[in-house]
């Protein structure tokens, strides 16, 4: 197959690109070409910013693909552009949506592809829903060969998946652990969550390519391992060889502070207990199973981060914010005790 990947160097798409590079498929990336060192030698790049449609039309002139994979489409206008670019020029268009599109709050903690899509808390998720609706409309009315994939919390060797962190990623939380500081965990840490290693995601994703049964269908791809946030943070602390000092803060309180978008990322996503039913993807890709348990994946990720300074992006502002939140909670607690 001739496969075009729009993006190709992000957390999820990197794993897909590397897995495809080990096959006999012809793999082409369309991106700005700024991370060439991360691309396998047998993968070619069309250097282009797809958001400049005029340049994209010229760069793709005369090309046809068996599969086009869109990893960086976040708004309907971008998918309308993709439709103009690829209608009649691909046998399958795979769109990467998000499992955060599922209804919040959930009516049932067990999530299937039939779970309604509705997220009043996160614009990102609502945009993904709108993108899905547009693509399915093009499938129904014009036969556009779309497949929709919803990843959940997927990670790789460069970043640890955590619930509460700043705009610069999760390193500052790890640094707080290493320094013996308390780290903020939303809620009481007992809600259920699923994290998926990108290599596991890639196996199922590649299995959908060229799959005639996947046209017009929607799939989520996650691990079958379910953990509490307490377990996730404890595993990370154990990998660092330090004691976990959790400090629990209600999700709605974190959201109300307004400093970071916790209404979206927590209330609209991570604060909900979620267990994914992966029966549908396993029927479509027989033999698929996620094999990277989180304690194994986290250990490999943390070892890589500790050995690569470029992954250790400090966030002094977030660090101070955590100290401020914890101090305020402790002060409020003391005031209640004093008046009790």
């Amino acid at each position: 197959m001739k496969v075009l990947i729009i993006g190709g160097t992000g957390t999820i798409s990197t794993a897909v690109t590397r897995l495809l590079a080990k096959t006999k498929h012809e793999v082409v990336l369309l991106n700005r070409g700024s991370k060439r060192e991360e691309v396998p030698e047998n993968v070619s790049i069309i250097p282009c910013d797809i958001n400049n449609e005029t340049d994209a039309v010229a760069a793709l002139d005369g090309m046809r693909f068996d599969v086009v994979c869109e990893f960086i489409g976040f708004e309907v206008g971008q998918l309308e552009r993709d439709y103009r670019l690829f209608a009649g020029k691909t046998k399958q268009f795979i769109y990467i949506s998000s499992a955060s599109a599922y209804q919040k709050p959930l009516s049932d903690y067990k999530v299937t592809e039939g779970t309604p899509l509705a997220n009043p808390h996160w614009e990102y998720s609502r945009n993904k829903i709108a993108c899905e609706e547009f693509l399915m409309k093009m499938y129904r009315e014009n036969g556009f060969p779309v497949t929709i994939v919803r990843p959940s919390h997927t990670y790789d060797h460069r970043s640890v998946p955590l619930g509460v962190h700043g705009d610069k990623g999760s390193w500052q939380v790890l640094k707080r652990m290493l320094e013996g500081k308390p780290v903020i965990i939303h809620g009481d840490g007992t809600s259920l969550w699923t994290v998926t290693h990108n290599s596991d995601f890639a196996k199922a994703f590649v299995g959908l390519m060229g799959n005639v049964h996947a046209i017009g269908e929607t799939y989520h791809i996650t691990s079958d391992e379910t953990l509490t946030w307490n377990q996730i943070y404890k595993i990370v602390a154990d990998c660092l060889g330090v004691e976990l000092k959790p400090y629990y803060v209600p999700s709605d309180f974190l959201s109300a502070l307004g400093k970071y978008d916790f209404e979206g990322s927590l209330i609209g996503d991570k604060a909900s207990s979620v267990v994914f039913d992966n029966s549908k993807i396993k029927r479509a890709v027989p033999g698929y199973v996620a094999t990277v348990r989180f304690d194994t994946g986290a250990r490999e990720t943390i070892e890589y981060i500790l050995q690569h300074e470029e992954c250790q992006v400090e966030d002094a502002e977030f660090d101070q914010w955590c100290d401020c939140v914890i101090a305020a909670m402790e002060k409020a607690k003391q005031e209640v005790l004093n008046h009790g």
Side-chain angles (χ1 to χ4, degrees):
M1 291 189 298
K2 185 174 183 179
V3 179
L4 177 69
I5 296 179
I6 303 171
T9 57
T11 297
I12 296 175
S13 57
T14 293
V16 172
T17 298
R18 290 177 177 172
L19 182 57
L20 284 171
K22 298 176 182 178
T23 69
K24 296 181 179 180
H25 301 311
E26 180 183 354
V27 184
V28 181
L29 307 188
L30 192 152
N31 60 39
R32 289 174 292 183
S34 59
K35 298 180 180 179
R36 187 65 180 88
E37 69 280 358
E38 299 182 15
V39 179
E41 291 184 0
N42 62 333
V43 172
S44 58
I45 295 179
I46 300 174
C48 175
D49 181 354
I50 195 170
N51 291 308
N52 185 324
E53 188 171 348
T54 300
D55 287 352
V57 168
L60 295 166
D61 185 42
M63 295 185 182
R64 292 179 175 271
F65 302 93
D66 294 297
V67 183
V68 173
C69 307
E70 172 58 278
F71 282 89
I72 54 174
F74 303 102
E75 297 178 355
V76 171
Q78 294 171 316
L79 275 299
E80 291 173 341
R81 172 209 62 211
D82 288 347
Y83 179 76
R84 291 191 295 268
L85 288 172
F86 299 111
K89 297 179 181 179
T90 185
K91 298 175 184 176
Q92 184 182 28
F93 182 90
I94 305 181
Y95 173 60
I96 289 69
S97 182
S98 171
S100 69
Y102 290 121
Q103 65 178 182
K104 302 295 182 303
L106 286 164
S107 57
D108 188 330
Y109 78 98
K110 196 69 169 286
V111 174
T112 72
E113 285 80 357
T115 298
L117 305 182
N119 193 331
H121 302 287
W122 206 359
E123 183 180 13
Y124 165 81
S125 304
R126 294 194 297 274
N127 285 340
K128 286 289 190 179
I129 294 170
C131 289
E132 288 193 26
E133 290 174 344
F134 168 76
L135 289 172
M136 293 307 291
K137 184 174 187 291
M138 293 303 98
Y139 166 70
R140 290 190 300 268
E141 296 181 1
N142 303 319
F144 189 55
V146 64
T147 299
I148 292 171
V149 172
R150 299 176 185 137
S152 185
H153 201 162
T154 307
Y155 70 103
D156 66 2
H157 60 288
R158 296 170 290 190
S159 181
V160 177
L162 295 173
V164 179
H165 58 75
D167 294 332
K168 297 182 180 179
S170 58
W171 165 250
Q172 197 65 43
V173 181
L174 272 61
K175 190 170 185 288
R176 289 181 67 88
M177 290 184 183
L178 290 168
E179 293 173 346
K181 292 183 176 181
V183 295
I184 294 174
I185 299 178
H186 58 278
D188 63 0
T190 61
S191 59
L192 302 176
W193 196 243
T194 298
V195 290
T196 307
H197 196 271
N198 66 344
S199 62
D200 280 330
F201 177 91
K203 291 185 293 186
F205 185 88
V206 170
L208 290 174
M209 291 184 177
N211 188 333
V212 65
H213 303 293
I215 304 300
E217 293 288 350
T218 301
Y219 303 88
H220 53 238
I221 300 175
T222 78
S223 171
D224 288 318
E225 181 183 27
T226 301
L227 299 162
T228 66
W229 282 104
N230 283 330
Q231 289 173 317
I232 290 171
Y233 277 79
K234 181 64 164 59
I235 287 170
V236 171
D238 287 347
C239 291
L240 290 169
V242 298
E243 177 188 358
L244 174 64
K245 297 180 179 179
Y247 195 91
Y248 299 107
V249 181
S251 297
D252 57 353
F253 182 80
L254 291 170
S255 173
L257 296 177
K259 174 64 175 176
Y260 301 100
D261 183 20
F262 289 130
E263 180 181 358
S265 65
L266 291 182
I267 308 300
D269 197 28
K270 300 178 184 67
S272 297
S273 280
V274 173
V275 177
F276 292 96
D277 181 342
N278 286 298
S279 301
K280 186 174 181 180
I281 187 64
K282 290 178 180 178
R283 289 194 300 270
V285 186
Y288 166 67
V289 60
T291 57
V292 182
R293 206 172 58 204
F294 182 61
D295 58 340
T296 302
R299 185 176 300 109
E300 293 174 354
T301 295
I302 289 171
E303 287 176 358
Y304 183 90
I305 290 173
L306 294 178
Q307 294 170 10
H308 292 79
E309 290 186 4
E310 68 273 16
C311 297
Q312 301 171 22
V313 181
E314 297 203 19
D315 191 343
E317 185 176 10
F318 174 72
D319 193 51
Q320 294 168 6
W321 181 84
C322 289
D323 291 337
C324 180
V325 171
I326 292 170
M329 294 286 288
E330 287 298 302
K331 181 180 178 180
K333 184 192 302 180
Q334 193 59 50
E335 287 180 354
V336 172
L337 290 172
N338 290 341
H339 287 83

